[in-house]
Amino acid sequence: MNLPTDQSHNEAATVKAIPQEAFDWYDEYAHGDIDRRTFLSRLGTLSVTGLTLSVVAGALTPNYALAEQISFNDPDITASYVEYDSPNGHGKARGYLVIPKGVNVDNKAPAVLVAHENRGLNPYIEDVARRLAKVGFVAFAPDALFPLGGYPGNDDQGRAMQKELDGAKIEGDFMDAATLLKNHELTTGKVGMVGFCFGGYLTNALAAAMPDTIHAGAPFYGTPAKGNLDQIKAPLQLHFAELDQRVNATWPDYEKALKANKVDYTAYIYPTANHGFHNDSTARYQEKNAELAWDRTVSFFKETLSA
């Protein structure tokens, strides 16, 4: 994050002072286990010297101005919103397509499908797509909320909107996006997938449901696919946060299934990290772990999608 030095130090001090309970409660709130009133009420019970309720709540909720690493106008990429047919989903869908400079029908590139969290295509996920294009991948990030008008501009409303949608149709929209990338005139036909939280689940799910389309998967703190684990062909690189008890509880059984089905996988657990540690718009962000995880992800895709 490109913050002035004093602001950066102040924010770092704020994050350090926030107790772990607050991060755990935010995770419950972000995943719909408690409502906003309960979340704020719990925060109000904390006694944190020098920090007000509004400061703590503000640090935990996204500030997307902090999340832009690659500009929409970066000369090395071309970004646009693209509608596509989704017969397996909502009929019509839309996503954010980012093409690297120099990619054309005579110079194709591998593709990466980017899956958002449980709140729609927010600015952080769009930036992730631009980061991938910046290093040479055709990146496509669908918006599950398109049938309801698209990401509304704030995560609270986005979460509520996504709950209204049929989960199977959301998966269908992403499956059809994967097919679009495989057949796109600018891609080599090799498709990787990366997703965060709900998008991590989608990454696991599509690897199981589309073994001939998804060639590599990198789920960040995602729960396992609900079926077809014996169908997975793609190598997986899985990223977990040490303090993420909810998702980590699902990993032992998932790992057993991957081993039983001889899936090529590598799993990383990042120390002292909370769920969402890669998202650089909130206090859960951990720069060192996020950068390490991202470097591993990019290297993984370069290795698995270039052959």
Side-chain angles (χ1 to χ4, degrees), residues 168-270:
K169 287 187 176 182
I170 292 176
E171 290 187 31
D173 288 337
F174 277 82
M175 291 172 69
D176 288 329
T179 300
L180 179 153
L181 283 180
K182 181 179 181 179
N183 298 327
H184 198 285
E185 65 176 0
L186 299 182
T187 76
T188 61
K190 290 290 186 72
V191 180
M193 186 169 179
V194 62
F196 306 86
C197 184
F198 172 73
Y201 159 74
L202 285 177
T203 303
N204 287 320
L206 264 65
M210 307 182 75
D212 296 321
T213 300
I214 301 299
H215 295 91
F220 277 65
Y221 24 87
T223 53
K226 296 173 183 176
N228 298 319
L229 297 183
D230 60 331
Q231 300 298 310
I232 298 175
K233 295 180 183 178
L236 300 177
Q237 186 183 87
L238 305 104
H239 303 274
F240 297 98
E242 181 185 26
L243 303 177
D244 186 3
Q245 298 180 28
R246 179 182 58 86
V247 170
N248 294 351
T250 69
W251 172 234
D253 286 342
Y254 189 24
E255 183 174 33
K256 287 179 184 177
L258 295 179
K259 287 181 176 179
N261 291 299
K262 296 181 171 55
V263 176
D264 178 7
Y265 77 93
T266 305
Y268 297 103
I269 299 178
Y270 296 86

Side-chain angles (χ1 to χ4, degrees), residues 34 39 75-76 109 121 126 136 141 166 173 175 201 269-270 303:
I34 59 174
F39 170 58
D76 291 333
L121 181 60
E126 291 186 345
D166 182 331
D173 288 337
M175 291 172 69
Y201 159 74
I269 299 178
Y270 296 86
E303 177 183 349

